[in-house]
Amino acid sequence: MIKVANIFVNIPVKSIAKAYSYAIPDKFSFLQTGWRVFVPFGNRKVEGFIVNISAADATTDLLKLKEIIDIVDEEPWFTDKMLKIAKWMADFYLCSFAEAMRLFMPGKTGLQIKPVYLIGDQKPDATILQVNFYVEVYNFIMLHQPVSLYDLRKNFPEFDIDAIIVLFLQHKFILKDYSVKKNTVNRYEKIVELIQSTFCETDFSRKPAQKNLLQLLQNRKSIPISELKAEKITMTTIQALVQANLIRINERRIYRDSYEHTASQGKKNVILTGEQETAVNELIKSIEQKENKTFLLYGITGSGKTQVYIEAANKVRQAGQHVIVLVPEIALTGQLVSSFKYYFKQDIIVLHSRLSISERNDAIRRIKQNEIGIVIGARSALFTPIDHIGLIILDEEQDASYKQDESPRYHTRDVAQALARIHKAILVLGSATPSVETFARAQNKEYTMLTLSKRIGNIPMPQVTTVDMRAELKQGNRNIISRALKKLIEETIAKKEQVIIMLNRRGFSTFVMCRSCGHVIVCKDCTLPLVYHQNGKLQCHHCDSSDVVPDVCPKCGSRYIKYFGTGTERLEHELRTLVPEARIIRMDRDTTTKKFAHAEILTQFKQGLYDILLGTQMVAKGHDIPNVTAVGIISADSSLNVPDFRSAERCFALITQTAGRAGRGDIPGKVIIQTYNPEHYAVHCGMQQDYLAFYKNEIVFRKQLFYPPYSNLIKMTIQNADEQKALAEATEFVKLFRSSFKDINSSQIIGPAPAMISNLRGLYRINLLIKTNQPAVVKKFMVEQKLHIKNNIMLDINPLNTM
Ligand code: ADP
Ligand code: ZN
Ligand code: ZN
């Protein structure tokens, strides 16, 4: 009987995003779902993933069927659960199965990790040794270890090697390890380990050095020789004990760990606050019952969310299950990493985008080996071979970097939730400023809300004031820094305390505003801010009308009208002029290109080598620096002028998060917000750090305009070298959509409108935005129209950016 494999080829072209059938040759009869193989495709040999295997039937055209050429690994790469999550992503995001599967591969292309076998701790027993071919295989492994499956299969073509290996592994006659074909050389270190666990103390009364070493080993079992040398234990001492057959020297593999230098940092015997304890108990209850449940840990800045994560993770580890901790950007979250390291030590692996290929290999291998209990990383940490997941934590769940902005355009929160469902695990979303969607779900009891409403040690929230920059200009100050902020900086530095200044870059140079009256140039038809384009034109992103940049403000006639373009560099220059005595360190995209640059800057600032940390949104992330008592936020509200329905939410979150950096030590913090919109509720509530008030305002507006959480969005970008053709295709689709979805209370379509980047590499880009409360129906419709496999159309399900 001929077996047929359904295979997705690993080529990122949408039009071939379907499974192809290949015959499985006899020599690969062991193949199963989840294997990576090489197959002929056109006249090429490409990598493919097996997603299904069946017997050939009457409908199979055997003559046309090509054969699998070779295997990539020596065991399946994908587990059933990995395939399930990839399938879920393909269905939910309308991407190809192969695209989703590629996420699970380090570097996305053919990394080859292969299992090898070594002789294990258990000696084979007599019954096994009676079977001739078992002995043959066992002896072969003993002689040639480490042995690959490939070698075994080649040497014993007549045996069912796969079955024998399974049997040997079960009985621990052999061990499994992984080796990587290329690029990696494993590093080993020499260690000393005990042979006998007890020794007679009196024998060593005259040999204190040897006695000392034996005692050290009593506690630790094995110690690297390098470490012993540092403790002034000589090789002579070690050799003497080796001679006496009490200890032996052995080798152990060293794993690369770029977080080696991250000191573990934490507090011993933390006594949880009442609120923390309540939250932890709720989580533990679900962990014990192995429920699949989503929690929102809504805790203000400095309320001790990390400790809650740690306690929950601890519980899950005790139950023998694994944990995934997701953070927005690993470079900016050294603090969470060091706290986890403090509690879980070697049980953790930290994945981040700047790992070298060999570091990533080591990581994946250790996860496959079940050596790792906790994976910490940015969104890619979802796609490791970690199994038996009991808990997934998503810290700062509102952060925009959780959305991948290339296909598949997934959101970490959605995928984490699907993964938790598959593993029957719990998901904890943590934030001081949850996304409006998440908070709404918690309000509807879809998620369970856990609240931390007080700062640890009852430290007061910082005192926040706003400065109206229109008044500032009126009174003759044309600087970026207001007089009040200058004064606050000077006072803070004089007291040897530190300042963080955040310049909100988002939205800059996208709109035109009058600096005298704050008036923003808007579309005459839709009243949304017009977007400034490179060609000098202003364009409306909702109705496509355009305008020129005026010379004077149409409202007050002032000449101080311009598009915003202040950078951190210019701000640094101005700061140096205004406050010459200050020592300033800048953190933005330019100063953080080097590996670990973020961590270095933060460490130096924390050590007090600088007075002011100045930067973009990066400085607003969860740092905990007790000596920072003052925070300045420059043009906090510039993001309000981005014509996107989430602009208020972003503005509010940014103000609250940045302000939350102030006064985390014993001295209360002071925050100054510079704004042109002090009366806007996002600014006003941000100033009060009042999430609930913000939410109440925002949710009304969302309901009125049928935006999430009241609808789901699908963004469609149509590209064409010919602008008219792109527009025609879009218009055509709008017509079709409106005739298919007539009830505007449940589905609407907006556009066509030029994309924010309206022309990319010679292609015009037109956007359509669908709002619907029947996302599954709309998606089905789009698939029927074959939109998901058109090469000139990009679909973004639940986009974060609607422009
Ligand atoms: P959040 O992430 O909510 O902003 P953190 O987790 O950074 O807050 O906690 C703020 C500070 O409080 C940290 O320095 C942390 O070590 C400390 N902390 C947390 N819980 C406790 C506790 N129960 N007792 C004492 N200190 C705590
Ligand atoms: Zn308009
Ligand atoms: Zn004006």
Side-chain angles (χ1 to χ4, degrees), residues 523-527 530 540-545:
C523 172
K524 292 180 189 75
D525 300 325
C526 358
T527 68
L530 289 171
C540 174
H541 279 245
H542 276 247
C543 74
D544 201 23
S545 67

Side-chain angles (χ1 to χ4, degrees), residues 464-498:
V464 186
T465 46
T466 52
V467 173
D468 187 335
M469 292 307 282
R470 294 169 298 192
E472 200 70 13
L473 184 71
K474 216 172 267 168
Q475 289 158 24
N477 179 17
R478 281 193 231 154
N479 290 321
I480 313 167
I481 308 262
S482 64
R483 290 158 304 168
L485 181 54
K486 176 173 184 270
K487 185 155 166 269
L488 176 63
I489 294 171
E490 285 166 345
E491 285 171 1
T492 309
I493 295 177
K495 286 186 285 184
K496 302 257 177 297
E497 293 162 13
Q498 290 170 294

Side-chain angles (χ1 to χ4, degrees), residues 538-713:
L538 289 170
Q539 209 142 26
C540 174
H541 279 245
H542 276 247
C543 74
D544 201 23
S545 67
S546 68
D547 214 335
V548 289
V549 182
D551 295 327
V552 295
C553 171
K555 197 173 164 201
C556 76
S558 158
R559 282 184 303 108
Y560 291 112
I561 183 153
K562 59 178 226 166
Y563 46 94
F564 268 58
T566 312
T568 39
E569 231 168 316
R570 211 186 117 198
L571 181 59
E572 181 181 352
H573 181 77
E574 185 176 305
L575 261 177
R576 289 194 192 282
T577 322
L578 283 180
V579 203
E581 69 275 23
R583 297 165 302 163
I584 302 169
I585 188 162
R586 181 156 63 93
M587 180 154 90
D588 57 20
R589 215 183 295 162
D590 297 335
T591 63
T592 52
T593 48
K594 257 186 30 217
K595 201 172 176 174
F596 301 119
H598 296 90
E600 257 165 51
I601 291 173
L602 286 170
T603 308
Q604 289 177 5
F605 182 62
K606 213 167 177 173
Q607 284 167 349
L609 299 177
Y610 296 92
D611 305 304
I612 303 179
L613 170 66
L614 156 78
T616 52
Q617 277 85 328
M618 289 178 192
V619 302
K621 309 271 165 159
H623 321 302
D624 188 28
I625 305 172
N627 199 37
V628 172
T629 58
V631 164
I633 306 177
I634 313 292
S635 46
D637 48 356
S638 66
S639 39
L640 284 177
N641 297 306
V642 180
D644 183 281
F645 76 95
R646 284 196 186 87
S647 58
E649 178 177 342
R650 289 198 185 105
C651 172
F652 169 79
L654 189 60
I655 292 176
T656 310
Q657 295 283 353
T658 315
R661 300 311 113 216
R664 293 169 74 98
D666 300 328
I667 310 152
K670 283 190 181 154
V671 178
I672 288 182
I673 302 174
Q674 297 190 173
T675 171
Y676 288 89
N677 289 287
E679 53 295 300
H680 192 289
Y681 65 92
V683 177
H684 193 72
C685 299
M687 178 182 156
Q688 314 268 345
Q689 321 231 325
D690 188 345
Y691 181 85
L692 285 177
F694 167 76
Y695 178 81
K696 278 186 193 138
N697 272 287
E698 182 69 12
I699 201 78
V700 173
F701 148 78
R702 298 284 177 96
K703 188 167 189 178
Q704 275 168 1
L705 296 182
F706 194 43
Y707 271 119
Y710 295 96
S711 69
N712 292 270
L713 302 182

Side-chain angles (χ1 to χ4, degrees), residues 97-132:
F97 200 174
E99 253 180 324
M101 290 171 91
R102 281 157 65 82
L103 293 168
F104 287 92
M105 297 192 313
K108 292 200 182 116
T109 50
L111 165 77
Q112 304 184 12
I113 290 182
K114 63 173 182 178
V116 289
Y117 298 94
L118 305 157
I119 290 302
D121 301 335
Q122 289 295 325
K123 289 269 170 299
D125 54 43
T127 45
I128 294 274
L129 291 175
Q130 276 168 10
V131 183
N132 269 337

